[in-house]
Every structure is written in C-alpha cells, then in structure tokens.
Amino acid sequence: MSLLITVPPNLVQSIRAFRVTELQDEAGRLGQHFLYAHCLAGVTKQQVLALIAESFLLPKSLGKNFDVLRGCLTETMHKAGAQPGFLVVLEQLPNTQKFDKEARETLLDVFRDAADFWAEKHIPFRVFYSFE
C-alpha cells in the first residue's frame, strides 16, 4: 500500500506525520524525483533560495528571485522532457526577521503554483514542508 494513498497528487502541505526518509523511499518506489532542501541555515530570502537552488541542482541565478524559482519548477523542468512526478521536501524553513511569515508564504505560493502547473499536465507534484 502506498504511503501517499490519502495524499492528493498535487498539493503543498505540512510534513506532519511523515518522515523524510519514508517520503524519499516512496519517491523511489513510485519512480519520482525526490527534491530535498534543509533550509534552516538561511536567514534571508536570498540565502533560502540559494539553499533550495543548490539542493535541487538548479541554476545559481535562482538565489534572488521567487519568479525564477517558479520558472525553474515549471517551464524549465517541463522543457527538460517527460517527467515521472515530483516529491519535494522543504525542511526547517526559517523564521527570521529577513525571512518572515510573508516570505515563507510567498515561497509556498511558488510551490503551490508549480503544483497547479503540473496538475494540468497530470504529473504528481507533492510538496511537504516544516518550519523551524
């Protein structure tokens, strides 16, 4: 039985009861890309975006702009060829003066937009996140 049997194929949600290792194993079982970023070391938007870019092997130019991240997660990946699906974990998103609740919500909105993009193409794109 699938670990994600009750989880819709395109969503952004708190990691809650899931463990990162279980999600990674499930991505492998499903043949999907597993993208993981541990973001606690980021203090500013630029640092958090740079951590995500480095972890996901995305262009370094991503480090300054939510729109560039959105483009990488959607059109750039789509142009790279057929995709089997994505399981994304953003662990320990920081809560700092320079990466506050508004910045976290904007970041999660980028991932929600990506989930919607892939839903239109019938490709799973699940994102799990936690805050520090």
Side-chain angles (χ1 to χ4, degrees), residues 34-88:
F34 180 74
L35 303 175
Y36 173 84
H38 192 275
C39 302
L40 186 59
V43 175
T44 66
K45 174 180 99 171
Q46 289 79 13
Q47 290 171 341
V48 171
L49 289 173
L51 285 166
I52 292 169
E54 182 179 336
S55 298
F56 292 4
L57 304 177
L58 298 173
K60 291 199 187 299
S61 62
L62 177 71
K64 294 181 174 56
N65 192 312
F66 288 122
D67 291 331
V68 174
L69 174 59
R70 183 180 288 108
C72 285
L73 294 172
T74 57
E75 292 298 332
T76 302
M77 289 181 175
H78 184 252
K79 290 176 184 171
Q83 300 295 340
F86 302 87
L87 205 154
V88 179

Side-chain angles (χ1 to χ4, degrees), residues 63-123:
K64 294 181 174 56
N65 192 312
F66 288 122
D67 291 331
V68 174
L69 174 59
R70 183 180 288 108
C72 285
L73 294 172
T74 57
E75 292 298 332
T76 302
M77 289 181 175
H78 184 252
K79 290 176 184 171
Q83 300 295 340
F86 302 87
L87 205 154
V88 179
V89 175
L90 302 170
E91 195 169 27
Q92 298 289 299
L93 290 171
N95 179 18
T96 66
Q97 189 173 0
K98 294 183 179 182
F99 196 81
D100 58 8
K101 182 177 187 223
E102 183 179 339
R104 287 193 311 274
E105 277 306 309
T106 302
L107 177 66
L108 293 176
D109 283 345
V110 167
F111 282 91
R112 288 181 189 105
D113 291 348
D116 291 345
F117 173 90
W118 289 106
E120 291 174 9
K121 291 162 182 29
H122 308 287
I123 305 291

Side-chain angles (χ1 to χ4, degrees), residues 3-4 7 11-24 34-38 87-93 108 126-132:
L3 174 70
L4 302 174
V7 179
L11 88 159
V12 176
Q13 75 170 39
S14 169
I15 198 166
R16 292 191 300 255
F18 294 106
R19 289 194 184 101
V20 173
T21 54
E22 293 172 339
L23 292 169
Q24 184 175 15
F34 180 74
L35 303 175
Y36 173 84
H38 192 275
L87 205 154
V88 179
V89 175
L90 302 170
E91 195 169 27
Q92 298 289 299
L93 290 171
L108 293 176
R126 292 178 178 101
V127 180
F128 298 91
Y129 64 88
S130 67
F131 297 137
E132 73 166 312

